[in-house]
């Protein structure tokens, strides 16, 4: 299908763009009353994720309401551990919770790797097909998955955590178990991303949300190694690697076979640009909390960020996902400011 707006794909490939493209991580869901209405009509988050027609509906909402330059499929990174045999629940105000975890060889044996992703995660691919039809070429559709290290964190910890010390303990006490599990997650994730592309995803992002809790050497061994395998395996569409907090590994990330590197708000865009050069596109990085300020302040802060860009190779985003209680009107101001910016590099 011909895309009417392919700005983000051109920006990812380093081609010419007439302005910077903009979208928000976690734009599907959370902030929109229209999302909450759909979610409220079902039993909860999981039913929404597993009902392709409704998942497609909330995927398209930000395109209609916020006027972003890309849609991201509504799903969650936790569908992968579930497909591998660890069922999760989303507990209101607490977050994800897994009944079973993988901390021993015995638990590892019960983990499933050799399954057909179309069979077990077919609802995601179906949501992609339906969303593509509804978007009708207005903007590209982004597919995604969690990075192996971040998925490992949830599979071993069994829930969210500030420190993920159960997960990190295994790196010291049983590194071979860690590698076996990371390897299985990587294999499934590559097949899963390829299936999303086949279903219609125009680009993909790998979220390594917990990259920043490891030191440089451990992240190289237990994180980057597996990120690299994914990046090398996906050649069909542009790939974005978002390793939150991985300041010490930007050089290594920029050598991977990817188009775009996600930058969080703690990182200095011009420093990262100096490190990466012109060979990769950078995505980010307004502090998600900046959207709590006044409309004029959102405008000023967004313009400041755009002024700091020293290249056309940028995709505008926040430095992490948008927070649930942000006023959608502030998000609109952010997007309008990017779209009306005139001092493009
Ligand atoms: O970007 C998008 O809008 C697409 C949808 C999307 C969701 N989760 C929907 C969701 C994406 C890309 C994710 C990724 C995800 N999920 C990550 C990586 C990105 C990041 O933010 O670091 C992580 C770590 C998760 C795990 C997860 N899912 C947590 C910790 C939670 C609970 C806290 C929260 O974010 O609200 C979820 C639930 C979840 N995933 C919700 C949504 C819209 C909230 C469910 C609801 O209340 O409706």
């Amino acid at each position: 299908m011909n895309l009417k707006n392919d700005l983000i794909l051109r920006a990812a490939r380093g081609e010419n763009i007439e302005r910077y493209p903009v979208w928000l991580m976690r734009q599907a869901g959370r902030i929109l009353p229209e999302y909450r209405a759909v979610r409220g009509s079902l039993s909860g988050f999981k039913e929404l994720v597993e009902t392709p027609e409704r998942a497609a509906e909330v995927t398209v909402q930000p395109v209609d309401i916020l006027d972003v330059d890309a849609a991201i499929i509504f799903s969650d990174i936790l569908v992968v551990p579930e497909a591998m045999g660890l069922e999760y629940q989303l507990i209101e105000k607490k977050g994800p919770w897994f009944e079973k975890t993988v901390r021993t060889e015995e638990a590892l044996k019960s983990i499933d790797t050799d399954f057909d992703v179309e069979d077990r995660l077919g609802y995601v691919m179906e949501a992609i097909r339906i969303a593509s039809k509804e978007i009708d070429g207005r903007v590209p559709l982004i597919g995604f998955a969690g990075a192996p290290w971040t998925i490992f964190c949830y599979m071993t910890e069994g829930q969210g955590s500030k420190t993920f010390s159960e997960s990190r303990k295994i790196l010291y006490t049983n590194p071979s178990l860690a590698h076996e599990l990371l390897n299985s997650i990587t294999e499934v994730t590559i097949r899963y991303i390829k299936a999303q592309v086949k279903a219609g995803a125009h680009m993909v992002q790998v979220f390594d949300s917990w990259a920043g809790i490891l030191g440089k050497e451990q992240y190289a061994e237990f994180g980057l190694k597996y990120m690299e395998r994914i990046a090398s395996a996906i050649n069909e569409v542009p790939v974005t690697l978002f390793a939150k907090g991985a300041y010490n590994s930007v050089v290594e990330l920029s050598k991977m076979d990817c188009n775009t590197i996600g930058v969080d708000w703690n990182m200095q865009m011009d420093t990262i640009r100096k490190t990466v050069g012109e060979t990769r596109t950078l995505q980010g990085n307004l502090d998600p909390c900046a959207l709590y300020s006044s409309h004029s302040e959102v405008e000023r802060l967004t313009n400041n960020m755009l002024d700091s860009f020293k290249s056309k190779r940028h995709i505008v985003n926040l430095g992490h996902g948008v927070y649930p209680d942000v006023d959608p009107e502030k998000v609109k101001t952010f997007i309008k400011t990017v779209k009306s910016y005139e001092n493009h590099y």
Side-chain angles (χ1 to χ4, degrees), residues 50-118:
E50 289 163 13
T51 310
E53 294 74 17
R54 310 314 297 275
E57 185 180 348
V58 298
T59 299
V60 185
Q61 283 175 346
V63 179
D64 293 335
I65 300 164
L66 303 172
D67 206 17
V68 281
D69 290 312
I72 179 161
I73 190 65
F74 180 80
S75 186
D76 200 89
I77 62 168
L78 303 178
V79 300
V80 166
E82 184 160 80
M84 295 175 78
L86 298 188
E87 211 185 305
Y88 75 96
Q89 289 175 43
L90 198 70
I91 300 172
E92 205 63 45
K93 297 203 165 68
K94 269 205 74 193
W97 192 78
F98 290 83
E99 170 100 40
K100 288 192 286 178
T101 56
V102 184
R103 296 180 189 173
T104 61
E105 311 286 350
E106 206 193 337
L108 184 66
K109 277 197 208 109
S110 68
I111 288 298
D112 221 353
T113 315
D114 272 337
F115 56 87
D116 181 1
V117 287
E118 279 288 352

Side-chain angles (χ1 to χ4, degrees), residues 23-30 35 39 45 72-78 90 92 95-96 144 150 154 207 209-210 242 320-321 324:
W23 70 285
L24 286 86
M25 290 184 274
R26 314 297 290 271
Q27 68 187 16
R30 284 180 145 191
Y35 162 79
R39 200 196 146 178
F45 174 73
I72 179 161
I73 190 65
F74 180 80
S75 186
D76 200 89
I77 62 168
L78 303 178
L90 198 70
E92 205 63 45
F144 73 89
T150 289
Y154 287 102
F207 285 90
S209 307
W210 300 113
F242 177 54
H320 198 191

Side-chain angles (χ1 to χ4, degrees), residues 162-219:
K162 284 201 175 78
T163 56
F164 283 96
S165 46
E166 287 297 337
S167 311
R168 291 193 292 124
K169 189 199 279 180
I170 298 169
L171 308 188
Y172 292 96
T173 57
N174 198 347
S176 67
L177 175 87
H179 281 301
E180 264 185 79
L181 180 54
L182 285 161
N183 188 52
S184 294
I185 298 167
T186 305
E187 282 177 20
V188 174
T189 302
I190 290 170
R191 296 205 306 275
Y192 177 47
I193 292 176
K194 284 185 179 283
Q196 290 186 41
V197 172
K198 216 171 132 207
H202 297 94
M203 64 193 295
V204 295
Q205 175 157 331
V206 185
F207 285 90
D208 213 352
S209 307
W210 300 113
I213 62 173
L214 293 183
K216 184 176 163 73
E217 278 173 23
Q218 273 195 331
Y219 189 55

